[in-house]
Amino acid sequence: MRTSIAALMTGLALASTACTTTTPPPAEAPEALAATETVTPPAPLRPGLVPEQASDSYYVSAAEAVQKRIDAQGVKPAKNVILFVGDGMSIPTVTAARIYAGQKRGLDGESYSLTMETLPHMALSKTYSHDYQVADSASTATAMTAGVKVNSGTLGVLKEATRNNCALAQGNGTDSIFDLAEREGLATGIISTARITHATPGSTYSETPNRDWESDADLKGGDAGDCKDIARQLIEWPEGDGFEVAMGGGRSAFLTEAEADPENEGKTGSRKDGRDLTAEWVAKGPDRVYITDQAGFDATDFTSDVKVLGLFERSHMQFEMDRAKDTAGEPSLVDLTKAAITRLSQDPDGFVLMVEGGRIDHAHHGVNAARALDETDAFDQAIAAALDMTDNDDTLIIVTADHSHTMTISGYPQRGNPILGKVATGLDDDHMMAQDGKPYTTLSYASGMTACRMVEGEPDCTREDLSDVDTTEPDFQQPSLVFMGSETHGGDDVAIFATGPGSELVSGVMEQNEIFHVMGRASGLVKAPSAE
C-alpha cells in the first residue's frame, strides 16, 4: 500500500566549433589596454558597514572574490535588494518545473521559460557547509545572508560554534544583511511559505547553535544554556525599528500552550514561558498588527506605515495545490510578495526583502514531485510579480536555492510526454519498460520512502508495477532507490539567476557565501575589504 502523502507532509512539518578564426592580436595588446583603462564604479549609495564576522576566513575569501569582479567591471549601486530562495530548488527541479508550468498552461513545456530563467545573469552556487558535503537549510541560508560558511544545523553563528552548544555560540555571532540594512535605516521584510522561524527565514535575524530551537519548548538537548529560542529572537530583534513585514507560517512557537489556536480547533501554542509573543509584537507600537487569515490580510493597508506580523498556520503554510481548502483562508506567495513590496517601498531609503518558497523542499522530502513542481511554479510567479513592481535600475533581484534534492529526470520520454507521467518513447503504443518488465516514471528520487512498501503488514522492496497507476495524480509519490524515512538533500550545485544593479557580479561558479557580498556591495551596506 502506497504511503499517504498527507501523513508524510505532516511528519515533515528540492565540440568546439570548427569555424575559421582570424589571427589574434599580440599578447601585449590586452595588457596595454588594461594598463591604460581603469574601471571607475559609480559612487555607492551608502558608506557601508563592517559586519561582526568580517575576520572570518570564509568571509574574507568570498569578499575578495567579489572584489576582484568589482575591480574588473565596477558595480552599479542598488537601492533595494530582493533575495528569492527556492528551498530545495535543484537544477532538475527548475527543468522539470519549466516543463510542468508549460504543460499546465497548455503550451510546449520543453521550450517554455520560467520567469527566473529570463534574468540576464546567472551562475552556479556551491552549497557545501563547513562540516558537510551535503548541507542543510540553516547553514546554507546563513551563507547567503551573512557571507560565511558555518556548521550544518546552526543559524547565524560562526564555524567555531558547534551544534547544540550555547556557550560556544556566545561571541561567535554574525551580522546578516538584514541587520546591516536596519542599522542603515532601510526597511526590511521576510516572506515564507514555511514557518517564519524555520531555517531560511530564521537566518535573517537569529543566532542559535540549533535551528530546531524555534520555541522555548524546544530548548532541550545539548547545552541550551542562556540561548533564546528563534521566535523570541524575532520579537526581540534589536536592529533598527525591526521588520516592517514578517509573514509566513509558524504560529505555534509564538503562542502559549494555554492559548487556543485561532484556526485549528483543539490545538494550542507550544510556548511554556507564558509569553504571547504575538501580543508583544502588537504592544511595541500603534503601527503594529498581527494577522492570521485571509480576512486579516485583506483588511491590512500595506500602503501605510503599518508593521505586519502575519502567521497564517500553526506550522507551515498550505501547499499551493491545497490552499483553497484552508479553513480560514490564507494568501498565496504572490499575494504576500506584492504586499511586502508595497509596504517596503514606502521607505525612501530603500529596502531588503527575502522571499522563500519554502515548501518546494517539503514536497521533495515526501518524494511528491507534483507538489514540488507546483510550488516552484508558484514561486516563479512571485518573481514575476516582483519584477513588475520594481525598477530594474534600482532593485537587485537574486533568485537561487539553498541546496538541491535527489530528484532526477531520465528514461528517454518523447517530447510532450507529461513530466509527471510514465516514460513513453513514442516508438510504439506501450510505455517503455525496465528490465523487470514494468513501466517507470520520468521523475524519480535517489532516496525516499517508496523504495519499499507495506504489503499485508510486511515490507516489500520489489519495484511496484505502475501499469495501472495514475502517476500524474497530485498525491502520487515517485519511486525512490534507497529506502529512507524521508528523502534527503542533494549536494550538487544550484543555480543563481540575477537582474538589476549588481547582478553583473553573478557569474561563473561561485561560493554560496559570495551572494551576501554581492548584495552587500551593490547596496552599499558592506564596506569593501580594503576599507574594513
Side-chain angles (χ1 to χ4, degrees):
M1 213 177 141
R2 186 166 286 277
T3 307
S4 163
I5 186 64
L8 285 165
M9 290 302 110
T10 300
L12 288 169
L14 208 215
S16 59
T17 57
C19 58
T20 303
T21 57
T22 57
T23 304
E28 293 77 20
E31 293 179 0
L33 182 65
T36 57
E37 293 187 10
T38 58
V39 175
T40 303
L45 291 170
R46 307 170 186 95
L49 301 172
V50 180
E52 182 179 2
Q53 65 273 22
S55 61
D56 176 83
S57 58
Y58 285 117
Y59 180 98
V60 171
S61 60
E64 290 175 347
V66 172
Q67 183 61 50
K68 287 181 180 178
R69 296 189 186 97
I70 294 174
D71 290 342
Q73 62 194 49
V75 59
K76 298 175 182 177
K79 177 183 177 183
N80 312 309
V81 176
I82 305 177
L83 175 63
F84 280 91
V85 181
D87 198 312
M89 190 179 69
S90 61
I91 291 176
T93 301
V94 174
T95 303
R98 171 201 309 149
I99 299 171
Y100 172 86
Q103 292 179 343
K104 177 180 175 181
R105 292 162 175 78
L107 303 172
D108 175 52
E110 288 80 4
S111 64
Y112 186 80
S113 291
L114 297 171
T115 297
M116 67 182 85
E117 297 177 303
T118 68
L119 304 189
H121 299 283
M122 72 168 297
L124 293 177
S125 172
K126 298 192 283 186
T127 62
Y128 65 93
S129 69
H130 175 65
D131 58 343
Y132 276 79
Q133 286 181 349
V134 180
D136 78 320
S137 293
S139 58
T140 51
T142 300
M144 291 185 283
T145 59
V148 290
K149 293 212 179 238
V150 302
N151 294 314
S152 285
T154 67
L155 275 174
V157 290
L158 297 173
K159 60 184 182 296
E160 287 74 18
T162 57
R163 190 164 187 172
N164 291 327
N165 193 317
C166 184
L168 286 178
Q170 309 305 315
N172 281 309
T174 64
D175 292 325
S176 76
I177 192 76
F178 292 82
D179 293 324
L180 303 179
E182 281 292 330
R183 289 176 200 171
E184 290 287 80
L186 278 69
T188 56
I190 45 174
I191 301 298
S192 179
T193 51
R195 294 189 297 268
I196 209 69
T197 51
H198 211 235
T200 305
S203 72
T204 66
Y205 61 86
S206 70
E207 297 179 1
T208 177
N210 189 327
R211 58 172 285 180
D212 296 327
W213 290 349
E214 297 183 51
S215 161
D216 70 313
D218 302 320
L219 294 174
K220 54 190 177 183
D223 176 20
D226 296 326
C227 280
K228 298 178 181 179
D229 62 86
I230 297 172
R232 179 182 169 188
Q233 290 188 57
L234 172 59
I235 300 301
E236 296 181 355
W237 194 41
E239 301 299 343
D241 58 358
F243 289 108
E244 276 64 37
V245 176
M247 296 188 291
R251 271 195 307 265
S252 179
F254 293 81
L255 302 176
T256 74
E257 57 186 355
E259 291 179 279
D261 185 82
E263 180 179 7
N264 302 103
E265 186 176 355
K267 300 293 185 180
T268 67
S270 61
R271 299 199 67 81
K272 296 182 178 297
D273 58 7
R275 294 177 62 176
D276 180 347
L277 298 184
T278 64
E280 292 185 25
W281 168 277
V282 174
K284 284 179 174 286
D287 57 348
R288 291 173 178 259
V289 299
Y290 163 56
I291 56 179
T292 64
D293 55 19
Q294 185 70 51
F297 179 82
D298 292 341
T300 303
D301 181 6
F302 287 96
T303 64
S304 69
D305 292 333
V306 67
K307 293 183 184 293
V308 184
L309 175 63
L311 302 174
F312 302 103
E313 287 287 343
R314 292 185 71 247
S315 184
H316 305 302
M317 292 182 67
Q318 298 287 337
F319 286 104
E320 181 64 21
M321 278 188 177
D322 309 316
R323 188 168 54 82
K325 304 173 188 175
D326 184 61
T327 303
E330 61 186 44
S332 68
L333 186 60
V334 170
D335 295 334
L336 293 171
T337 301
K338 288 180 177 179
I341 294 174
T342 298
R343 172 60 187 90
L344 299 180
S345 296
Q346 308 304 312
D347 192 322
D349 294 321
F351 64 82
V352 177
L353 170 66
M354 173 190 281
V355 178
E356 184 200 21
R359 305 226 64 188
I360 302 169
D361 173 79
H362 300 156
H364 275 320
H365 277 304
V367 293
N368 182 216
R371 283 181 173 80
L373 303 188
D374 198 63
E375 289 295 302
T376 305
D377 183 26
F379 177 68
D380 193 63
Q381 292 175 59
I383 297 167
L387 289 170
D388 287 342
M389 295 181 68
T390 56
D391 188 338
N392 195 58
D393 290 333
D394 67 12
T395 302
L396 168 62
I397 294 179
I398 294 178
V399 180
T400 189
D402 45 359
H403 54 74
S404 72
H405 273 274
T406 70
M407 189 191 77
T408 63
I409 310 171
S410 58
Y412 306 116
Q414 65 179 326
R415 184 165 177 172
N417 199 60
I419 190 63
L420 295 172
K422 288 166 275 193
V423 173
T425 63
L427 299 178
D428 51 46
D429 294 332
D430 296 324
H431 288 100
M432 190 172 185
M433 302 297 178
Q435 288 294 304
D436 58 7
K438 300 173 184 176
Y440 58 95
T441 53
T442 302
L443 304 180
S444 60
Y445 289 84
S447 63
M449 61 291 298
T450 49
C452 303
R453 62 193 187 282
M454 298 303 293
V455 177
E456 297 180 352
E458 297 294 330
D460 182 354
C461 298
T462 58
R463 203 168 73 84
E464 184 177 3
D465 188 348
L466 300 174
S467 298
D468 299 322
V469 176
D470 181 4
T471 64
T472 65
E473 195 270 334
D475 286 345
F476 177 78
Q477 293 169 277
Q478 272 65 30
S480 53
L481 175 64
V482 179
F483 187 57
M484 304 282 288
S486 169
E487 183 267 354
T488 69
H489 293 174
D492 37 309
D493 295 350
V494 297
I496 313 173
F497 306 98
T499 188
S503 63
E504 62 276 6
L505 301 178
V506 174
S507 64
V509 179
M510 300 174 62
E511 294 289 352
Q512 188 170 45
N513 51 317
E514 290 177 31
I515 293 172
F516 165 89
H517 297 275
V518 170
M519 296 188 297
R521 295 301 304 283
S523 64
L525 291 171
V526 175
K527 281 188 177 293
S530 59
E532 293 173 356

